Amino acid sequence: MMFAAIARETDRIGLVTTVSTTFNPPYIVARQLQSLHWLSNGRAGWNIVTSIEGAENFGDSPMPSPQERYARAREFTDVVRKLWASFPQEAILIDRESGKFSDPDQVSPINHSGEFFSVKGALTLPAHPSGEIPLFQAGASDTGRNFAASIANAIFAAMPDLESGVELCNDLRRRAEVHGRHPDAIKVLPGLYFFLAETREEAHALYKAAHSHLSVERRLASLQSVLGLDISGFALDHRVTADMLPDPNQPVRSRTHAELLRRYITANQPTVAEVLARPEVLASAHWVSVGTVEDVLNDIMERFEAGAIDGFIALPGGSEQSLELFFEKLMPQLVERGVFRSDYTGSTLKEHLGM
Ligand SMILES: Cc1cc2nc3c(=O)[nH]c(=O)nc-3n(C[C@H](O)[C@H](O)[C@H](O)COP(=O)(O)O)c2cc1C
């Protein structure tokens, strides 16, 4: 609904909405996304998620296991795409004289019967002429990556450091090829949580203020929930080492976040205080960049040149001024360096993504 409102007020920006495959029926999602695609003239995108939690909002059943959630996501996406294809653009006639608005010969109802869903019928609205809705995916465990490699046009990634980014990009390229796709078929777009100010000191003060409400106790509890690691008995300057890590097979909320932290601890043997300052513990494991426009620009260029990113999802932090600096100073510099377009070259999301 929010995107329907935004679609009306804008005419170029892509509208990528997150929809969970764990809690929704595929027929409704297929209709909603195709409706948004028409309302926005080809600008809809779908960020496919399997969700970490939330089952209690929908009934008494517990969260399905990650394996089951991904199996369901695969079938769900398949059903949605079959529904989109069931009423192709070519079936539209709109002939008022004969009273024929569509050609039934070109509409192919589906008859899906699978492990999780039974869905019959054609979709009741035709596909938009701009073609299929681009698919994004979020979740980077082994299963998540394979799923992304099989269908996604872009991945919304949690990428706290450059090394994890290079690893993810190379791995996705390899997996895309295994699925018979072009290695560059999947755009890697990490969240970039930025705090911009005129001076470094100001920017760091903004970052500190944004997390000052998180006590050591809350950070310890967050670490316990993300990684299953309890280090509450250690002093803040005590080093955390690989042998302290819990069994990698024990269930965690998100394997993506747990794996990022495991790798950081194994590679760096950080202190307790350093672990408690990590983005995976404080928030959502996103890449954090704090400083002046030049600092953040250099950070972006470093990752881009290292092949760790194709773009990023901007997550503004701090103050409104941070957002203004981003649009008025930082983006123009990315354009100047030739890594961002100076104007739109198309009007649909597909065109913006270069698909
Ligand atoms: C960057 C990122 C963003 C995500 N955003 C959402 C979201 O908005 N809603 C949601 O239900 N799940 C979201 N998820 C959760 C994933 O869909 C997935 O359920 C979770 O990461 C567990 O899968 P994994 O084991 O592959 O990491 C997100 C995950 C990541 C990594």
Side-chain angles (χ1 to χ4, degrees):
M1 287 173 75
M2 175 68 89
F3 275 135
I6 297 175
R8 205 186 71 162
E9 303 301 322
T10 57
D11 48 33
R12 290 296 181 95
I13 192 168
L15 307 167
V16 184
T17 178
T18 293
V19 183
S20 175
T21 53
T22 301
F23 307 123
N24 295 290
Y27 195 90
I28 295 196
V29 172
R31 271 179 61 85
Q32 287 177 330
L33 287 166
Q34 196 60 258
S35 296
L36 181 64
H37 213 34
W38 278 98
L39 287 174
S40 64
N41 239 327
R43 292 185 286 136
W46 174 19
N47 181 34
I48 308 171
V49 296
T50 55
S51 302
I52 297 170
E53 57 204 355
E56 70 279 10
N57 300 139
F58 301 93
D60 295 329
S61 311
M63 271 317 273
S65 70
Q67 288 76 9
E68 184 179 329
R69 288 184 341 244
Y70 275 114
R72 197 183 150 93
R74 235 174 262 119
E75 189 181 330
F76 190 114
T77 309
D78 180 45
V79 172
V80 167
R81 295 178 82 184
K82 286 198 295 195
L83 284 167
W84 286 340
S86 70
F87 194 162
Q89 156 73 17
E90 300 75 46
I92 306 176
L93 285 180
I94 318 204
D95 181 353
R96 289 179 194 280
E97 257 164 49
S98 68
K100 280 186 99 176
F101 289 83
S102 59
D103 175 0
D105 291 343
Q106 302 221 41
V107 178
S108 328
I110 71 162
N111 188 3
H112 174 90
S113 173
E115 189 184 349
F116 301 96
F117 306 103
S118 290
V119 184
K120 288 197 183 74
L123 207 61
T124 48
L125 77 165
H128 186 267
S130 69
E132 206 179 302
I133 295 172
L135 303 178
F136 285 54
Q137 186 271 357
S141 60
D142 185 54
T143 328
R145 290 178 187 202
N146 270 338
F147 176 50
S150 68
I151 48 111
N153 305 113
I155 178 165
F156 178 23
M159 192 185 285
D161 48 53
L162 192 146
E163 292 70 32
S164 64
V166 172
E167 187 275 329
L168 177 67
C169 281
N170 290 339
D171 186 56
L172 279 174
R173 291 170 66 86
R174 189 182 56 73
R175 289 182 201 241
E177 279 191 301
V178 171
H179 282 91
R181 302 177 69 202
H182 191 278
D184 295 329
I186 308 159
K187 303 257 178 284
V188 177
L189 311 173
L192 166 59
Y193 188 31
F194 61 84
F195 290 77
L196 283 166
E198 296 292 350
T199 66
R200 252 177 225 173
E201 293 67 34
E202 247 182 285
H204 282 279
L206 282 176
Y207 178 72
K208 209 171 157 200
H211 298 99
S212 60
H213 63 292
L214 293 171
S215 63
V216 170
E217 289 69 34
R218 274 193 56 190
R219 291 170 195 227
L220 285 165
S222 165
L223 178 67
Q224 169 92 56
S225 118
V226 172
L227 189 56
L229 176 66
D230 179 6
I231 48 172
S232 53
F234 297 102
L236 287 174
D237 60 357
H238 191 280
R239 294 222 165 257
V240 185
T241 50
D243 57 304
M244 293 163 71
L245 290 171
D247 176 0
N249 296 317
Q250 84 173 41
V252 287
R253 285 173 70 231
S254 155
R255 284 175 292 167
T256 302
H257 297 78
E259 192 47 41
L260 286 168
L261 259 182
R262 295 184 81 88
R263 262 192 263 146
Y264 169 73
I265 290 172
T266 307
N268 301 291
Q269 284 130 43
T271 63
V272 168
E274 282 165 343
V275 172
L276 296 184
R278 288 294 297 176
E280 297 90 338
V281 174
L282 292 179
S284 53
H286 284 301
W287 162 22
V288 181
S289 193
V290 186
T292 61
V293 167
E294 208 187 330
D295 292 335
V296 177
L297 183 73
N298 288 340
D299 206 4
I300 295 170
M301 290 307 295
E302 186 191 15
R303 292 204 188 200
F304 181 69
E305 280 160 7
I309 59 171
D310 292 304
F312 56 83
I313 312 269
L315 308 171
S319 66
E320 229 171 284
Q321 189 205 357
S322 187
L323 195 59
E324 277 159 19
L325 285 171
F326 178 80
F327 284 125
E328 281 158 27
K329 301 258 169 73
L330 198 144
M331 288 313 296
Q333 294 223 31
L334 286 175
V335 172
E336 211 166 280
R337 293 191 186 202
V339 294
F340 196 78
R341 59 175 168 250
S342 57
D343 206 348
Y344 284 110
T345 48
S347 62
T348 65
L349 177 59
K350 246 175 126 167
E351 288 167 315
H352 301 338
L353 291 171
M355 282 165 62

